[in-house]
Amino acid sequence: MQKVNETLNASVHHEQTGALWHLSDLFLQHVPFDNEQLIFCCIGTDRSTGDALGPLTGSFLSNFHSFPFEVIGTLENPLHAINLASTVEEIQQRPTAPFVIAIDACLGNEKNIGQIIVQDGPLFPGKAVKKELPPIGDISVKGIVNVGGFMEMLVLQNTRLNVTYSMSNKIARALLLAWQRHLLKKKHNANDNADYNNARQQIGYSNFR
């Protein structure tokens, strides 16, 4: 699997001022949108409010008609413990190695709930609930939905849906915004136009708030 740019390890709280733009900055800098073999693997299950962050994100992305990339894992067709290994194997057997962005919920410290973490390297799904599942992803996007360390499965099942929904919505919209900013940058480069500072106005950033 591939790597892009420098080592990445950053986080944005989904409720902080300008979170959508800051998160799109990270995606724009580190997701290779020019790669036609880009895949977004959204991991989790709709049977647990905390673990639904991945499928919710996948459903949001799939409903964006202007988002052209392959999305695996939605509320209708989740990517979870039962089918993850076979999905990883299928991806690895493709003729051209894809670049995978893996998205999943995770547990952490109480003060970090609501943080969206973007890191180089794969996710290790199921680690919080002691499941042995194959790693997946060139870049990991993790949303801290609740507190870890004790009775993790029960904690995930009793996580507020509003938290999971809000975080997944922010991740999906930031990815769409990053994609649109990427297209705008390509257009400017093609026109030899170095003025990229008014990108917010040209994209209509107010629609993403």
Side-chain angles (χ1 to χ4, degrees), residues 126-205:
K127 186 176 181 180
V129 291
K130 310 300 188 292
K131 289 184 178 178
E132 293 292 334
L133 297 172
I136 180 172
D138 296 281
I139 287 179
S140 307
V141 181
K142 299 183 285 188
I144 302 177
V145 298
N146 214 328
V147 180
F150 180 71
M151 298 182 69
E152 284 86 355
M153 188 67 73
L154 185 62
V155 169
L156 282 171
Q157 291 174 347
N158 286 278
T159 297
R160 291 192 64 206
L161 180 58
N162 180 62
V163 173
T164 309
Y165 182 93
S166 297
M167 294 179 70
S168 59
N169 181 266
K170 191 64 62 75
I171 292 169
R173 291 165 62 212
L175 283 167
L176 177 62
L177 178 57
W179 165 240
Q180 293 183 337
R181 291 175 65 189
H182 171 78
L183 293 178
L184 180 61
K185 186 175 182 180
K186 285 186 65 176
K187 180 180 177 181
H188 280 202
N189 289 341
N191 293 333
D192 293 323
N193 186 343
D195 182 12
Y196 186 53
N197 294 325
N198 61 343
R200 292 179 184 233
Q201 288 72 29
Q202 295 186 52
I203 298 172
Y205 174 62

Side-chain angles (χ1 to χ4, degrees), residues 36-112:
E36 295 181 357
Q37 305 300 321
L38 204 58
I39 303 177
F40 292 83
C41 289
C42 304
I43 303 153
T45 174
D46 61 340
R47 297 178 181 271
S48 168
T49 52
D51 205 24
L53 182 138
L56 277 166
T57 303
S59 288
F60 285 131
L61 289 174
S62 296
N63 288 331
F64 294 149
H65 299 300
S66 59
F67 194 74
F69 303 104
E70 181 178 358
V71 176
I72 301 176
T74 63
L75 289 174
E76 184 177 4
N77 296 297
L79 176 60
H80 46 50
I82 295 175
N83 60 2
L84 181 66
S86 60
T87 300
V88 170
E89 183 178 0
E90 186 275 325
I91 290 173
Q92 291 175 340
Q93 291 178 350
R94 296 191 182 189
T96 302
F99 190 98
V100 177
I101 292 85
I103 302 170
D104 197 6
C106 70
L107 301 174
N109 296 327
E110 184 175 3
K111 65 179 181 180
N112 291 328

